[in-house]
Amino acid sequence: MAYIDPHIHMVSRTTDDYQRMAQAGCVAITEPAFWAGFDRSSVQGFFDYYRQLTDTEPKRAANYGIKHHCWLCINPKEAEDVGFAREVISIIPDFLDCKNVLGIGEIGLNNNSKNELIILEEQLALAERLNQLVLVHTPHLEDKLKGTTLIMDAIENTSLDPNRVLIDHVEEHTVHAVLNRGFWAGMTLYPDTKCTPQRAADIIEMHGTERLWINSAGDWGPSDPLAVPKCRLELASRGHSKSLINTISYDNPLSFLSQSGKFSVE
Amino acid sequence: MTKKEIVDQYFLEHRAKVLDIAAFLDRIDRSGETDADFRIDALMRCIKELQSEKEGRTERILSILSDHTTEPIDHAGMKGACGAVPPPS
């Protein structure tokens, strides 16, 4: 069965990963702009990164029959310097018309600081002004609960439709509030720091599949680009139907992402 | 799934995880250092929560490990999240 990995950082992965993902049934991915493991020293660094996301990666993915899409932003970890972040934000609109750009993301918070919140609000305003979909990064570990609430409050201060916003990296202590407030929710399947495939399956059993998706968020850290098919296998081993598995790993990403008018699996 | 099916499928995996925690704590003991670490203190509170007979342990443990303040901090520090809430500095 075909699947979509709606959050993976292929700039950090090898071509072998594209091959293994294709062999496992991956037909499309979306790649949010993120922290590359080091702080970039210039706006030009981001310009080149956006070129990589809009030009180079789609070609790498196409070699394996995978459709590549992306999201653009300055990530929260590099948003503490407000002046620098604003310079980066100023170049984003030039890329939004690229055919594989789906919206603004992954914006959000990292350490839940005042400056991160200012830049989050400014990027939400950009999405609002240009009618873009939004993909949200929620903070790590002990900062997630507080950050998720701050982020949802900030979004609710805009006119953005929650049905056009996906809040990612939810876990057991945040998923309920995210869904209750009308947003889409993403579960990231990580070996240590987010949801395991088993816990994601538990959350699906407790909350159902409505407005929920799974992703690998594979990147340069401990992560697994095949986490989505592993979660599908976990669900199958528990006796869940092909229909449910397809809903969480194909139909739901397709529904949310198609709101951009640019998402395609072919 | 029935209770027996769940236990059959997952018992060995979680038996191994409990042994990993025990070995981790033994490793710390063998270091010979007895000063407190907030992360281990938090872990021990989580282990206590495991003994609860009420469903919802995962969410309650995540709550133990979460920052419950509500205001943004003044400045982002250089250090990343560590998995438990550090004591006020």
Side-chain angles (χ1 to χ4, degrees):
Chain A
M1 278 200 304
Y3 77 90
I4 296 165
D5 191 340
H7 185 149
I8 185 164
H9 301 286
M10 293 308 296
V11 298
S12 301
R13 308 298 313 192
T14 65
T15 300
D16 291 345
D17 288 335
Y18 272 124
Q19 183 179 40
R20 292 190 298 141
M21 290 162 64
Q23 287 168 339
C26 183
V27 293
I29 59 173
T30 90
E31 176 159 6
F34 82 139
W35 186 59
F38 64 98
D39 288 351
R40 280 153 280 213
S41 60
S42 68
V43 177
Q44 190 64 39
F46 281 90
F47 181 89
D48 290 341
Y49 177 44
Y50 299 158
R51 283 183 50 236
Q52 187 178 17
L53 290 176
T54 55
D55 187 37
T56 308
E57 282 309 319
K59 291 173 186 163
R60 285 180 80 209
N63 287 333
Y64 296 91
I66 296 174
K67 286 288 288 186
H68 180 281
H69 310 79
C70 68
W71 306 77
L72 301 180
C73 74
I74 181 162
N75 65 85
K77 190 159 171 58
E78 289 175 279
E80 187 65 14
D81 181 341
V82 170
F84 178 70
R86 284 176 176 152
E87 284 186 63
V88 174
I89 292 169
S90 73
I91 69 169
I92 291 173
D94 294 340
F95 287 89
L96 290 179
D97 286 336
C98 293
K99 63 182 179 184
N100 74 327
V101 178
L102 303 182
I104 303 296
E106 53 183 309
I107 55 174
L109 297 173
N110 182 53
N111 282 343
N112 298 327
S113 76
K114 290 176 178 172
N115 284 357
E116 290 172 8
L117 193 56
I118 289 168
I119 294 304
L120 167 65
E121 289 167 346
E122 293 186 11
Q123 294 192 98
L124 289 171
L126 179 68
E128 198 175 15
R129 182 163 55 85
L130 300 178
N131 193 32
Q132 296 290 312
L133 289 182
V134 174
L135 182 66
V136 173
H137 163 91
T138 52
H140 305 283
L141 302 170
E142 71 270 22
D143 296 322
K144 183 180 299 295
L145 182 65
K146 172 181 176 178
T148 303
T149 302
L150 288 169
I151 289 165
M152 291 192 293
D153 290 347
I155 297 169
E156 288 178 353
N157 284 333
T158 72
S159 64
L160 287 164
D161 176 357
N163 196 45
R164 288 172 55 83
V165 178
L166 185 130
I167 298 188
D168 217 336
H169 317 318
V170 300
E171 294 179 58
E172 289 85 347
H173 57 329
T174 56
V175 63
H176 188 68
V178 168
L179 292 174
N180 264 6
R181 290 169 77 157
F183 300 104
W184 283 72
M187 293 185 288
T188 293
L189 310 168
Y190 267 6
D192 298 324
T193 55
K194 293 183 170 70
C195 278
T196 58
Q198 289 89 341
R199 281 174 51 210
D202 292 337
I203 290 172
I204 292 164
E205 289 169 353
M206 290 186 287
H207 291 273
T209 57
E210 190 177 349
R211 282 181 286 117
L212 197 58
W213 78 25
I214 52 176
N215 62 69
S216 73
D219 62 6
W220 44 264
S223 54
D224 180 0
L226 295 181
V228 172
K230 286 177 182 171
C231 189
R232 287 159 54 100
L233 193 60
E234 172 67 24
L235 288 162
S237 79
R238 297 185 188 192
H240 289 293
S241 67
K242 284 183 179 175
S243 168
L244 178 142
I245 295 168
N246 213 39
T247 297
I248 202 74
S249 59
Y250 187 91
D251 294 337
N252 281 2
L254 183 65
S255 293
F256 178 78
L257 299 166
S258 292
Q259 296 181 88
S260 68
K262 292 182 178 177
F263 183 76
S264 161
V265 295
E266 291 170 4
Chain B
M1 294 173 85
T2 65
K3 177 176 178 178
K4 183 173 186 314
E5 287 170 337
I6 294 169
V7 176
D8 285 350
Q9 183 158 327
Y10 296 104
F11 177 73
L12 284 180
E13 175 188 345
H14 294 90
R15 175 185 185 274
K17 288 179 178 176
V18 165
L19 288 170
D20 271 346
I21 294 170
F24 169 59
L25 295 174
D26 286 347
R27 209 173 301 140
I28 291 171
D29 287 344
R30 286 198 305 277
S31 76
E33 297 174 29
T34 56
D35 49 317
D37 185 301
F38 70 94
R39 293 167 296 184
I40 301 304
D41 293 344
L43 186 65
M44 299 313 285
R45 291 200 299 279
C46 294
I47 290 169
K48 198 171 284 183
E49 181 59 45
L50 285 178
Q51 296 175 45
S52 163
E53 293 184 4
K54 194 175 162 200
E55 190 188 339
R57 298 170 193 85
T58 318
E59 187 171 347
R60 291 196 296 277
I61 284 176
L62 283 165
S63 182
I64 289 169
L65 298 172
S66 292
D67 176 5
H68 287 273
T69 64
T70 57
E71 294 300 316
I73 61 173
D74 286 337
H75 300 287
M78 293 301 291
K79 192 178 172 305
C82 62
V85 183
S89 52

